[in-house]
Amino acid sequence: MKIVLLIFSLLLSTSIFAQHYVLDSITPSLGHLINFEANTLKFADKSPAFDRFFAKLDSIYSGKKDKLHIFHIGGSHIQGDFYSNKMRTYLQNMNANSTGQRGFVFPYHLAHTNNPLSYRISTNTESKWQGYRCSITSDSIAWGLAGITGAFRDVSDTIIVKANHRNYNIDRYNFNKLRVFYNTWKDDYNLNVLDSTLVSSDTINYDKMYREFRFKTAVDSVSFALQLKDTTNIHPEFAMMGMEFMNNNPGIEYTSIGVNGASFKLFDRSAYFERQFDLYHPDLFIISIGTNDAYMPEDKFDAENFRYYYKSFIDMIQRKNPDCAILLTVPNDSYYKRKKPNPNTITQEQIILEIAQEYNMAVWDCFEIMGGLGSSQKWYKNNLMPKDRVHFTLFGYSVKADLMLVAMVKAWASSTGRNAEELLNYFKHLDE
């Protein structure tokens, strides 16, 4: 599915929603749109992996200096980072020890597509960069963890990196290490920090394809000079695959990776995804891929092919992180080409529920929570979705984040013996 970027222009032109809990205020008027009874993490209570995850989450909530990593991957819903960022904000603002490092990000502006609001990576001449997405079948380049690459083939540029842009964290992000992921097998360009006095070391990992800069002190921004080494080089290329803001702080790290139009099959084109994922050992992996896999006429949807790619992706996660809890999310109800509800989501729902039980993992069923087939029309009529009835408005994403938080809190309380209402009440008042 080709994502219409106009949607994101409209989203970004509206006022940025505050990061406060909204479900209580909308329930009297819009509560009929939501199946609150379905808003659970199904099967989490039967999963030892989720017991481990909730024990560590509870430790941080209690004020202990522990570390926890959540990895969230998907398509355009996650690239925009609206509801995933609200989840990040809830969890990282729990207390003084809960804001971990910002972690892996991608400079989407260099690929000429929408960038999350919480950080900003820009250059002096962005027009000289070309973007490639694994979700565009005509694109071809080296892709890593992000599934998207920005390529520079000119003489020189300056890259300006800011870990904080528009975010809601009480504690601002900083970093004393920065990894730049790129095609390290080519040596066409020099990449240097403009203020060299900040740098204590500079090393290259050729296997995982990144260059790591260590700084003498924690910073929240830095600028790089990118310079072609040999101007007679006919086909130079610097292929940016991502960056990682790192520090030694305890707390929660919430990594979100999204590519507009991505599906399991198209993410599979990222040849270096698994190699770079080997660097990480998340405690929870949230899979929000699926909308684009089923965005087609009903007779064209290959259910067993979807099952195969879904299971292959889980197998990859477990090869690297056998103890990781995995949350499978059912795609939201949507319309196919704005004409009719997409019945393929019903088939996906059944497959995802079956896979979750097979792997002893959990499911957050957004499709059922919304009200099932055709419910996106009601959400659209109530300004929670735009006309495409595939994406959500900013307020719709805020509602979606709150629903996911409630489901997580209920499963957390069940696993640890805490009072769910007390936990949820705590999160409701975090911004006060």
Side-chain angles (χ1 to χ4, degrees):
M1 177 178 67
K2 293 184 181 297
I3 302 300
V4 182
L5 295 182
L6 175 61
I7 293 167
F8 292 97
S9 298
L10 292 172
L11 287 172
L12 294 175
S13 67
T14 62
S15 298
I16 303 304
F17 60 81
Q19 295 291 79
H20 58 263
Y21 189 82
V22 299
L23 273 184
D24 284 351
S25 62
I26 72 162
T27 297
S29 59
L30 299 177
H32 63 285
L33 300 176
I34 301 168
N35 183 346
F36 287 101
E37 289 186 3
N39 189 31
T40 63
L41 299 193
K42 295 179 180 178
F43 319 127
D45 59 338
K46 298 178 176 63
S47 173
F50 273 85
D51 284 338
R52 289 190 294 269
F53 165 71
F54 287 126
K56 188 174 284 192
L57 180 62
D58 197 72
S59 173
I60 295 174
Y61 174 78
S62 300
K64 296 180 182 177
K65 294 184 177 181
D66 210 341
K67 287 189 176 185
L68 180 144
H69 189 187
I70 297 173
F71 218 99
H72 196 165
I73 191 168
S76 53
H77 298 293
I78 305 304
Q79 179 176 324
D81 196 33
F82 295 116
Y83 89 94
S84 48
N85 185 58
K86 194 176 184 187
M87 285 296 296
R88 180 186 295 112
T89 303
Y90 276 133
L91 297 174
Q92 291 190 334
N93 285 343
M94 286 195 302
N95 54 47
N97 295 320
S98 61
T99 301
Q101 64 184 17
R102 183 60 177 86
F104 184 90
V105 301
F106 184 81
Y108 292 95
H109 284 154
L110 303 193
H112 306 290
T113 185
N114 56 299
N115 197 86
L117 297 174
S118 59
Y119 65 91
R120 187 172 182 85
I121 300 168
S122 58
T123 74
N124 286 347
T125 53
E126 289 181 10
S127 61
K128 294 182 179 180
W129 292 73
Q130 186 170 354
Y132 299 87
R133 302 202 309 263
C134 67
S135 58
I136 298 178
T137 55
S138 60
D139 281 0
S140 180
I141 202 171
W143 288 296
L145 197 63
I148 184 168
T149 294
F152 182 78
R153 301 184 180 95
D154 213 290
V155 177
S156 64
D157 205 352
T158 300
I159 304 171
I160 303 100
V161 179
K162 297 179 180 179
N164 301 286
H165 184 50
R166 296 177 185 173
N167 62 39
Y168 301 90
N169 273 19
I170 296 170
D171 297 321
R172 307 289 279 177
Y173 296 116
N174 61 36
F175 53 94
N176 55 24
K177 289 193 296 184
L178 177 66
R179 288 175 176 172
V180 180
F181 292 83
Y182 66 99
N183 53 337
T184 54
W185 58 88
K186 289 179 72 72
D187 191 31
D188 299 337
Y189 289 86
N190 285 316
L191 180 68
N192 296 308
V193 175
L194 282 180
D195 185 356
S196 60
T197 63
L198 292 173
V199 181
S200 61
S201 68
D202 171 3
T203 57
I204 297 179
N205 184 316
Y206 290 98
D207 180 54
K208 309 301 184 198
M209 293 159 287
Y210 66 82
R211 189 165 181 175
E212 182 175 291
F213 296 88
R214 295 184 177 232
F215 302 104
K216 296 174 183 176
T217 186
V219 297
D220 64 1
S221 62
V222 70
S223 295
F224 292 91
L226 184 63
Q227 181 68 48
L228 181 64
K229 292 181 178 181
D230 182 1
T231 55
T232 65
N233 190 335
I234 300 174
H235 299 294
E237 181 180 75
F238 182 86
M240 172 85 75
M241 300 181 200
M243 289 188 179
E244 185 175 9
F245 302 116
M246 306 174 70
N247 58 41
N248 300 316
N249 296 349
I252 295 169
E253 177 183 356
Y254 194 121
T255 302
S256 59
I257 293 175
V259 181
N260 292 345
S263 64
F264 283 110
K265 184 176 181 179
L266 294 174
F267 252 123
D268 197 49
R269 301 175 69 206
S270 297
Y272 302 115
F273 185 101
E274 186 170 353
R275 187 188 298 190
Q276 292 181 345
F277 182 61
D278 194 40
L279 292 165
Y280 307 100
H281 301 279
D283 301 281
L284 173 66
F285 200 114
I286 305 174
I287 303 175
S288 294
I289 305 172
T291 298
N292 299 295
D293 299 75
Y295 195 78
M296 61 189 68
E298 189 174 5
D299 62 348
K300 300 294 184 182
F301 178 57
D302 187 334
E304 290 312 307
N305 193 50
F306 175 72
R307 185 192 301 270
Y308 168 78
Y309 276 107
Y310 211 128
K311 291 178 66 172
S312 296
F313 195 81
I314 293 175
D315 290 339
M316 182 275 296
I317 296 169
Q318 293 192 323
R319 277 197 300 274
K320 304 299 181 181
N321 301 276
D323 296 327
C324 180
I326 304 174
L327 178 60
L328 289 58
T329 66
V330 179
N332 56 270
D333 180 69
S334 62
Y335 265 52
Y336 178 62
K337 293 188 175 180
R338 304 190 183 188
K339 294 179 180 178
K340 63 178 183 177
N342 190 344
N344 296 329
T345 313
I346 298 175
T347 306
Q348 288 182 304
E349 178 187 39
Q350 186 58 41
I351 291 171
I352 290 170
L353 290 169
E354 291 170 0
I355 291 175
Q357 292 178 84
E358 179 181 346
Y359 284 85
N360 201 15
M361 294 301 172
V363 174
W364 188 63
D365 194 340
C366 187
F367 179 72
E368 184 183 14
I369 294 163
M370 286 182 65
L373 189 67
S375 57
S376 54
Q377 174 69 6
K378 297 176 183 178
W379 283 55
Y380 161 61
K381 290 294 186 181
N382 287 275
N383 300 313
L384 296 173
M385 300 183 85
K387 286 184 179 180
D388 72 352
R389 285 155 290 182
V390 174
H391 300 90
F392 294 82
T393 61
L394 278 177
F395 189 67
Y397 279 119
S398 185
V399 170
K400 188 175 181 180
D402 284 2
L403 287 166
M404 178 176 274
L405 176 72
V406 171
M408 184 175 289
V409 163
K410 288 192 291 189
W412 170 7
S414 176
S415 177
T416 61
R418 286 195 179 271
N419 183 293
E421 287 303 316
E422 289 181 3
L423 273 176
L424 188 57
N425 191 57
Y426 180 81
F427 284 101
K428 289 179 182 179
H429 298 93
L430 274 180
D431 64 332
E432 295 179 355

